[in-house]
Amino acid sequence: KMLRRVLFTVLFMGALPSLAEASQGHISVVLLGATGDLAKKYLWQGLFQLYMDQVSSGHSFTFHGAALTALEPGQRLMFDVLKKLACPPDESPNRCAVLKDQFLKLSQYHQLKTAENYTALNREIETLLRREGLKEAGRVFYFSVPPFAYTEIARHINSSCRPPPGAWLRVVLEKPFGHDLESAQQLAAELSSFFKEEEMYRVDHYLGKRAVAHILPFRDQNRQFLDPIWNRHHVERVEVVLKETVDAKGRTSFYEQYGVIRDVLQNHLTEALMFLIMELPANVSRAEEVLQCKLQAFQSLWGLEKNSAVLGQYQAYTSQVQEELQKAHDYISTTPTFAGVLIHSGSLRWEGVPFLLTSGKALDERVGYVRVLFRNQAYCTQKETLRVAGHSQCKAKQIIFYIGHGALNTPAVLVSRSLFRPVMPEGSWREAVGQSDLHIFGQPLSDYYVYRPVKERDAYSALISNIYHGRKDFFITTENLLASWAFWTPLLNSVSHQPLRLYPGGVENQHLLDFEMVSGEVAFTLAEPAELLKPSRLMPSDYRTIQSKFRHSPLVSAWSEDLISQLASDIEKTASRTVARSGQFHLAVSGGSSPVVLFQRLARHHYAFPWKHTHIWLVDERCVPLTDTESNFFSLHNHLLQSVRVPYFNIHPMPVHLNQRLCVEEDRGTELYAKEIVALVANASFDLVLLGVGTDGHTASLFPQSENGLEGAQAVVLTESPVKPHQRMSLSLPLINKAREVFVLVLGKGKHDITTLISRVGHQPRKWPISGVSPSSGQLVWYVDYEALLG
């Protein structure tokens, strides 16, 4: 019996304490794509390392390489790889030779192409277990194949290759996991029809990198030092960086589809950032707690805008694409090979701290690191040459998780001596001793406590070990995957045709790719324009803002992002002018989706806005509790109020929830709000009212054929919406028309038909309430984006 003979041989060599302990069950590992590049470079070595580590664990193993290649050539290719497997330097030669020989005997090749092939594999595993008298512990299927093959393979495994009840199934998936949010959702839905969430292990090999994997344990073991300083009051900035000297040559078919953001930032760098900024769970060993905290960190991130990123492309990239993909000589690629992205979090811990994610190809060095730079509040009177080396409080204070390569050429954790001596696990990390002439971020290595791993281990070996142990916190769950794509997709869409800064590559880049943070945005520090890439369609910047007339009132129109920027600036100017004149500014804002991007713009870019003197009112509200996500006030609070300093008494939500009930006439909520307006707003004339337009022509919560609010003396009314939640509270049309200024914001293709219609109709508020907006002694201005205006 082959498997039994292998066990006895290993036992004889002293690897197993007793045969009885080899009774925890049998594990079958199936590597799909067994002859591919990833398998050759990393996966077979990782599986061999697993076997060496776990041979005495009580589990028995077989390893099944699989691919589409026919049996004989596939077998030859696979065993050519296996014969080159190596043991770690500290492994004894005798034990290494025996274990390698046994690993080869436990490995076999299969052609997995049809449903019958999978059925035959299942039958072979069951026959082997029956013959050896072993209980099945579980099966691992490692998908080292392109994602387009996932669904078919998943269907075959689910229908004919699942282990029996009582044994576990672990399916390991390699990136890319989709191209954007929609494709990721589609792939996730397909896989979830075959596998349970706990059965899927999505690999991001960066989570197996020693320095990245140690971020959470480091934070946990050093809570006493970090708790007081791990926050916005002490951290100046965070940098997560992966620089490469190689270009994309030989990989352009992949790179043209994905580019640097999808290839590196959306996954590797984002995952490292999450480990850094997530709240620490009580127990970092509990995977479900870690994953939940990571998801909450995702949800705290502010949305990205076009100006959150700077993008570049090395000059030879387009010619490489033309050559490798047989593109025409006039083909111009708009795929970025360099990106610098500025991210912010809205959490109380990190509000205002810039997180910089940077990666690129054809750069000046190969290095990866996660750097936390702390604010320096010290002033040192002694001149620099007289300060004690490494202990001066005036030197930069930082913690660096050094992923590898670069000056150190090894994973490391560095902590400034002026911060604290960290607690590090002795068995796996050791302090580097001895002085070195190396400098890291401008400081000699002697300025840091430096720790290196005791044993070198590649990322895939670490991750394969985590798969064996069922450690889900080192992998990407569906929920976290979709949260990441939801965060990155809007940026990817907004920069998809953005001109890129060309750079020559390597040391010749000089300062071309340096960038800086300005007013919550990033921009290249060198002002000279990048070469125009002549995209196939006109860019937003190719259009000047249109200013003309719409319904006899001023019209401002541009692409949506430029339009929002202009509107935010105009609101700030109005506010500043009004405060200078009367000491306060009364702003009434509508609900719905259109104002959200405006609120975010005001919160992030308009630091001179006179919030201290601003009163904020609601134009309309849904009859739901203010904490309900459907509430207009809830949206206003989430996207604006929690990020700016408006005095508490200057915020005026509509009283829709009184006496533990919603919008009941007897509670007289409309009268209360009207009295508050009369008491605080001079002549009940708001300084500025911001409105939107519905596809049916409604504005505020004044709907076509409405019985209330279109005329009469009542200032605030209850209305009925044709969509849920039906009950609403709204300012009336007569009150809106008393305003000094009214701005109407209209965004998106979905509003093109109603925009065209209302451009032609007269004053017919009962059919189209928006047509009744006409300030009696103020100004009306329309802000309509190109998509709504032109389709």
Side-chain angles (χ1 to χ4, degrees):
K1 296 180 178 181
M2 182 270 292
L3 188 57
R4 186 75 52 164
R5 282 200 304 273
V6 169
L7 291 174
F8 272 116
T9 305
V10 178
L11 172 63
F12 180 74
M13 292 300 297
L16 284 172
S18 75
L19 188 58
E21 289 187 24
S23 60
Q24 290 188 26
H26 183 77
I27 297 173
S28 304
V29 180
V30 182
L31 175 54
L32 298 136
T35 57
D37 284 345
L38 186 64
K40 290 176 187 174
K41 286 181 181 176
Y42 303 111
L43 300 183
W44 279 118
Q45 185 64 50
L47 292 174
F48 180 42
Q49 184 67 54
L50 175 72
Y51 181 64
M52 288 188 286
D53 292 343
Q54 303 302 329
V55 69
S56 58
S57 67
H59 283 122
S60 59
F61 294 87
T62 47
F63 299 90
H64 305 266
L68 299 176
T69 309
L71 185 61
E72 193 174 317
Q75 204 163 29
R76 189 169 55 251
L77 284 169
M78 188 182 97
F79 278 94
D80 283 346
V81 175
L82 298 192
K83 288 169 188 172
K84 296 173 185 173
L85 295 175
C87 292
D90 57 351
E91 192 69 72
S92 73
N94 284 350
R95 186 173 188 269
C96 175
V98 169
L99 290 177
K100 182 174 175 180
D101 181 58
Q102 302 313 324
F103 183 76
L104 265 66
K105 287 178 180 175
L106 294 171
S107 302
Q108 52 188 303
Y109 178 81
H110 307 262
Q111 184 185 37
L112 287 186
K113 200 169 185 179
T114 65
E116 291 74 23
N117 294 149
Y118 285 86
T119 304
L121 173 62
N122 185 64
R123 191 164 51 243
E124 191 171 321
I125 293 171
E126 289 175 345
T127 302
L128 174 71
L129 293 172
R130 243 188 343 265
R131 190 175 68 231
E132 301 290 349
L134 290 170
K135 179 185 174 185
E136 185 161 17
R139 299 181 190 180
V140 176
F141 285 86
Y142 200 118
F143 286 41
S144 180
V145 296
F148 67 75
Y150 282 4
T151 303
E152 185 181 358
I153 294 171
R155 184 180 294 109
H156 290 320
I157 293 171
N158 186 55
S159 63
S160 56
C161 225
R162 272 186 169 274
W168 46 256
L169 171 67
R170 291 176 188 156
V171 175
V172 188
L173 305 164
E174 278 284 347
K175 80 175 187 78
F177 311 118
H179 186 263
D180 54 18
L181 179 58
E182 185 180 357
S183 60
Q185 286 171 327
Q186 182 179 347
L187 183 57
E190 289 169 356
L191 290 171
S192 67
S193 65
F194 303 115
F195 305 128
K196 299 172 186 173
E197 179 63 33
E198 61 268 23
E199 294 175 332
M200 290 186 281
Y201 288 69
R202 290 183 185 86
V203 170
D204 184 328
H205 77 273
Y206 250 60
L207 299 187
K209 299 276 188 183
R210 298 299 293 273
V212 175
H214 195 62
I215 293 174
L216 275 188
F218 178 89
R219 289 181 58 195
D220 183 48
Q221 291 154 12
N222 291 279
R223 285 181 195 249
Q224 58 177 322
F225 306 117
L226 291 175
D227 276 355
I229 62 172
W230 204 253
N231 55 59
R232 60 193 167 100
H233 302 296
H234 295 273
V235 175
E236 180 180 312
R237 66 203 272 176
V238 172
E239 300 168 1
V240 188
V241 174
L242 174 60
K243 294 168 65 179
E244 298 182 86
T245 53
V246 298
D247 58 22
K249 193 171 184 178
R251 290 187 73 219
T252 55
S253 60
F254 168 84
Y255 220 78
E256 266 298 90
Q257 294 181 65
Y258 289 91
V260 66
I261 295 178
R262 292 179 174 93
D263 186 35
V264 177
L265 277 77
Q266 178 270 329
N267 36 70
H268 304 330
L269 303 194
T270 302
E271 289 298 321
L273 178 66
M274 292 302 103
F275 276 166
L276 208 70
I277 70 171
M278 61 183 268
E279 293 299 311
L280 268 186
N283 185 352
V284 295
S285 298
R286 289 180 60 85
E288 58 272 23
E289 290 185 31
V290 171
L291 293 168
Q292 188 57 40
C293 289
K294 192 198 288 189
L295 184 62
Q296 289 168 358
F298 265 121
Q299 293 166 344
S300 74
L301 299 179
W302 285 1
L304 296 173
E305 301 171 356
K306 184 174 70 176
N307 293 329
S308 301
V310 289
L311 303 174
Q313 183 190 91
Y314 66 85
Q315 283 175 326
Y317 178 75
T318 286
S319 62
Q320 290 172 351
V321 171
Q322 291 170 354
E323 180 184 343
E324 293 181 16
L325 304 185
Q326 284 82 51
K327 297 286 187 181
H329 288 297
D330 60 350
Y331 175 80
I332 300 292
S333 172
T334 56
T335 300
T337 62
F338 170 84
V341 178
L342 174 62
I343 295 174
H344 281 101
S345 168
S347 73
L348 286 175
R349 181 183 296 278
W350 297 114
E351 184 182 15
V353 177
F355 306 137
L356 289 170
L357 272 59
T358 304
S359 185
K361 292 194 171 293
L363 301 183
D364 61 313
E365 64 174 337
R366 183 185 184 189
V367 69
Y369 58 83
V370 179
R371 180 188 183 210
V372 182
L373 181 65
F374 291 86
R375 300 181 193 278
N376 200 332
Q377 314 290 356
Y379 171 76
C380 298
T381 55
Q382 200 85 329
K383 66 181 181 180
E384 191 170 350
T385 54
L386 296 178
R387 297 173 194 163
V388 178
H391 294 281
S392 170
Q393 289 301 310
C394 284
K395 292 197 173 184
K397 301 177 181 182
Q398 49 197 328
I399 296 173
I400 304 158
F401 299 93
Y402 204 87
I403 297 166
H405 303 290
L408 290 181
N409 200 33
T410 177
V413 175
L414 299 87
V415 179
S416 293
R417 290 181 180 270
S418 54
L419 277 172
F420 57 86
R421 176 184 280 276
V423 176
M424 297 290 282
E426 291 180 11
S428 52
W429 293 81
R430 64 166 177 261
E431 187 171 3
V433 292
Q435 299 299 310
S436 169
D437 57 358
L438 285 178
H439 281 65
I440 303 294
F441 296 110
Q443 292 180 257
L445 209 57
S446 57
D447 282 1
Y448 302 94
Y449 295 109
V450 182
Y451 295 84
R452 292 187 170 100
V454 172
K455 288 178 69 174
E456 287 294 329
R457 173 173 266 203
D458 75 88
Y460 277 99
S461 293
L463 289 171
I464 287 170
S465 175
N466 288 325
I467 294 162
Y468 167 79
H469 289 290
R471 286 292 307 271
K472 287 280 286 184
D473 47 325
F474 286 93
F475 299 89
I476 315 301
T477 64
T478 301
E479 204 169 14
N480 273 275
L481 172 71
L482 297 182
S484 179
W485 276 121
F487 174 69
W488 284 102
T489 298
L491 176 68
L492 289 164
N493 290 340
S494 68
V495 301
S496 59
H497 294 282
Q498 184 173 316
L500 309 171
R501 171 158 293 191
L502 296 180
Y503 58 97
V507 294
E508 293 179 27
N509 294 335
Q510 298 185 18
H511 298 293
L512 265 179
L513 298 179
D514 293 353
F515 60 93
E516 60 188 343
M517 297 172 282
V518 182
S519 302
E521 300 176 348
V522 284
F524 286 116
T525 53
L526 291 183
E528 67 260 25
E531 181 178 330
L532 184 64
L533 294 186
K534 299 183 179 65
S536 56
R537 67 182 184 88
L538 289 172
M539 309 308 301
S541 55
D542 295 328
Y543 291 85
R544 293 195 174 276
T545 301
I546 294 173
Q547 291 198 316
S548 54
K549 294 284 184 180
F550 185 84
R551 289 183 59 81
H552 311 296
S553 295
L555 166 69
V556 180
S557 192
W559 290 108
S560 59
E561 202 166 323
D562 296 330
L563 183 71
I564 291 296
S565 176
Q566 182 65 52
L567 174 56
S569 296
D570 290 349
I571 292 174
E572 182 179 336
K573 287 174 189 171
T574 302
S576 299
R577 192 169 58 244
T578 304
V579 168
R581 186 185 68 244
S582 62
Q584 54 189 359
F585 174 59
H586 288 274
L587 169 67
V589 296
S590 287
S593 58
S594 293
V596 167
V597 285
L598 172 66
F599 296 158
Q600 292 171 341
R601 180 85 196 177
L602 287 169
R604 298 174 197 178
H605 301 287
H606 290 266
Y607 301 108
F609 199 103
W611 294 115
K612 185 178 178 183
H613 305 285
T614 298
H615 286 255
I616 297 185
W617 303 80
L618 271 293
V619 168
D620 63 328
E621 181 59 279
R622 296 173 168 94
C623 292
V624 295
L626 299 185
T627 53
D628 192 300
T629 55
E630 292 272 5
S631 164
N632 290 342
F633 181 78
F634 182 89
S635 175
L636 175 66
H637 177 269
N638 263 18
H639 299 293
L640 178 66
L641 296 180
Q642 69 176 359
S643 303
V644 297
R645 295 183 177 178
V646 179
Y648 174 80
F649 293 107
N650 288 12
I651 301 170
H652 308 281
M654 281 186 156
V656 293
H657 199 184
L658 298 171
N659 302 319
Q660 298 185 340
R661 50 190 188 174
L662 294 164
C663 293
V664 175
E665 283 194 29
E666 289 83 353
D667 293 332
R668 306 172 80 173
T670 55
E671 290 180 34
L672 286 172
Y673 207 55
K675 286 178 180 177
E676 192 175 2
I677 292 168
V678 169
L680 296 175
V681 183
N683 302 317
S685 297
F686 290 107
D687 297 305
L688 176 60
V689 173
L690 176 69
L691 298 176
V693 181
T695 54
D696 59 354
H698 83 265
T699 191
S701 278
L702 304 172
F703 298 93
Q705 312 306 325
S706 175
E707 298 298 321
N708 298 321
L710 297 177
E711 53 190 29
Q714 203 170 350
V716 185
V717 296
L718 292 177
T719 66
E720 287 283 327
S721 165
V723 296
K724 291 183 178 179
H726 296 299
Q727 275 195 303
R728 309 287 177 93
M729 186 179 289
S730 179
L731 303 186
S732 69
L733 198 54
L735 181 64
I736 290 169
N737 283 333
K738 290 179 71 175
R740 295 175 184 273
E741 288 194 85
V742 177
F743 292 171
V744 181
L745 175 62
V746 191
L747 298 176
K749 275 186 182 176
K751 301 288 178 69
H752 175 61
D753 289 345
I754 189 63
T755 303
T756 304
L757 179 65
I758 61 176
S759 69
R760 299 168 180 164
V761 302
H763 181 85
Q764 300 181 61
R766 291 196 67 79
K767 286 183 79 172
W768 299 287
I770 188 65
S771 71
V773 176
S774 179
S776 51
S777 56
Q779 185 183 38
L780 170 64
V781 183
W782 293 83
Y783 292 81
V784 187
D785 77 348
Y786 288 142
E787 290 192 328
L789 190 68
L790 308 172

